[in-house]
Amino acid sequence: MKKLLFVFNPQAGKAQIRNKLMDILDIMVREGYEVTIYPTQAREDALNIVKLRAGHYDLVVCSGGDGTLDEAVSGLIHSGVSVPLGYIPAGSTNDFANSLKIPKDMIKAARIAVGGQKFACDVGTFNEKPFVYVAAFGIFTAVSYRQEWKNILGHAAYILEGVKSLPEMTSYYMRVEYNDVVIEDEFIFGMVTNSNSVGGFQNMTGKNVLLDDGKFEVTLIRRPKNLAELNEILASLTNLIDNTDLIYSAKSAQVTVLSEEEVPWTLDGEFGGEVREADIRNMQRALEIMVRKNFTKNTLFLE
């Protein structure tokens, strides 16, 4: 029989998987898999179990939020084996699942995870640490790795945290290098992404985003000097129109960020550490993930 490793976070998304677990396992067995299940017990459990065991299975499936997905992908990258990954979203945001049109319904997602088709997508590295879809700093990021807030507030948590931070307006003077461009400026926010959705908000990363083109979408927001500039930034973000000099946007396979002080980063919605230098690189098509049948690149631009 084909072998499947199923790793899931039993606490993700208000523990909703507990009511669906038997149905999910039934789908996997009906698809012809001998299933090994592993409920995670602590941080990095998914990373370690996938890293150690992925090579013994034909398919790895993970279920949880963006953090669980990040750990499973990191485990696969570190394992050095080429095993496809199925994903059953169970978190409060599920940005990468939204980008791949993986449904929120866990039963439908389970059917795709074991019976869909493979899609080779890009994976990022942040100072050699793998991440799936976003590395970010500044406003709107602090709350994303506070699990208790995510469970209670969902998408509203990102908005509330951002509004709370605006009067304080923490900023960082940085040197940013990508392609042949060098920028030195003071920034309140920055993100390097491979996703159509960030923090639950669709299309914030730009138009015509491809998840397998070997390039990130880079967004940097300068510190506004006055209320008029702040309103200009908010209007641009709200209307999803890049029509202001206060926001830098680009596509690049590599980004280097240098700062005189340590800057806290978030990777896939989890705390990624505080660093003065960030070397961010794109590993093109490094991950095979299961998506629905008849999925094409054009699917990313539908709906």
Side-chain angles (χ1 to χ4, degrees):
M1 295 181 67
K2 298 179 293 182
K3 292 187 176 182
L4 184 155
L5 174 62
F6 180 36
V7 180
F8 65 93
N9 180 355
Q11 304 302 324
K14 301 179 182 179
Q16 59 180 307
I17 194 171
R18 297 183 183 183
N19 297 324
K20 306 287 186 180
L21 184 57
M22 296 309 298
D23 291 331
I24 291 172
L25 293 176
D26 185 63
I27 290 170
M28 294 174 173
V29 172
R30 287 177 180 270
E31 195 66 27
Y33 285 99
E34 176 183 312
V35 184
T36 300
I37 64 173
Y38 187 92
T40 59
Q41 306 297 308
R43 185 180 176 88
E44 295 194 349
D45 254 8
L47 187 157
N48 292 326
I49 197 70
V50 172
K51 177 182 177 180
L52 290 173
R53 299 189 184 181
H56 301 289
Y57 293 88
D58 301 288
L59 175 66
V60 174
V61 177
C62 70
S63 181
D66 291 330
T68 303
L69 175 65
D70 175 270
E71 287 193 20
V73 171
S74 295
L76 280 172
I77 298 298
H78 287 308
S79 74
V81 299
S82 180
V83 178
L85 177 71
Y87 180 42
I88 303 173
S92 56
T93 304
N94 305 315
D95 282 314
F96 201 61
N98 291 336
S99 295
L100 291 171
K101 308 301 181 185
I102 297 174
K104 295 180 180 179
D105 184 293
M106 299 183 75
I107 301 303
K108 292 180 180 178
R111 293 193 180 105
I112 291 172
V114 297
Q117 69 181 44
K118 300 173 187 176
F119 173 69
C121 64
D122 300 343
V123 174
T125 60
F126 178 91
N127 292 344
E128 299 186 351
K129 180 186 184 302
F131 69 93
V132 181
Y133 72 96
V134 61
F137 68 87
I139 61 172
F140 298 111
T141 62
V143 75
S144 61
Y145 46 81
R146 298 179 191 169
Q147 186 65 42
E148 67 276 14
W149 277 52
K150 285 199 293 185
N151 286 340
I152 296 170
L153 298 175
H155 296 168
Y158 291 87
I159 300 172
L160 292 175
E161 181 69 14
V163 171
K164 187 181 73 174
S165 299
L166 287 177
E168 302 171 7
M169 199 62 69
T170 300
S171 60
Y172 306 96
Y173 190 84
M174 293 175 159
R175 175 187 173 95
V176 183
E177 303 172 3
Y178 57 85
N179 300 331
D180 295 323
V181 177
V182 177
I183 300 172
E184 292 192 21
D185 213 326
E186 196 169 358
F187 299 104
I188 60 171
F189 177 78
M191 62 181 178
V192 179
T193 62
N194 188 45
S195 174
N196 284 303
S197 172
V198 175
F201 300 105
Q202 296 287 337
N203 302 318
M204 277 192 66
T205 58
K207 298 180 180 179
N208 300 327
V209 175
L210 294 174
L211 307 186
D212 65 345
D213 62 353
K215 294 183 179 180
F216 295 116
E217 281 62 45
V218 183
T219 303
L220 300 164
I221 302 179
R222 294 168 50 194
R223 179 185 176 89
K225 297 178 181 178
N226 49 53
L227 185 59
E229 288 190 349
L230 174 59
N231 289 333
E232 184 178 328
I233 291 171
L234 294 176
S236 180
L237 293 175
T238 302
N239 298 322
L240 302 176
I241 300 175
D242 184 11
N243 60 354
T244 173
D245 293 335
L246 297 168
I247 300 179
Y248 296 96
S249 299
K251 291 179 180 286
S252 180
Q254 180 180 358
V255 182
T256 302
V257 183
L258 305 173
S259 175
E260 294 182 354
E261 60 182 305
E262 292 190 339
V263 178
W265 286 75
T266 175
L267 305 178
D268 296 335
E270 305 293 328
F271 181 57
E274 298 185 3
V275 300
R276 293 184 180 180
E277 180 174 349
D279 179 42
I280 307 171
R281 298 172 183 254
N282 187 296
M283 300 168 58
Q284 187 173 17
R285 300 178 183 175
L287 171 70
E288 284 192 327
I289 192 163
M290 302 299 292
V291 295
R292 70 193 191 199
K293 291 181 178 179
N294 301 319
F295 179 92
T296 67
K297 294 181 182 181
N298 291 332
T299 306
L300 300 174
F301 309 126
L302 300 177
E303 302 172 6

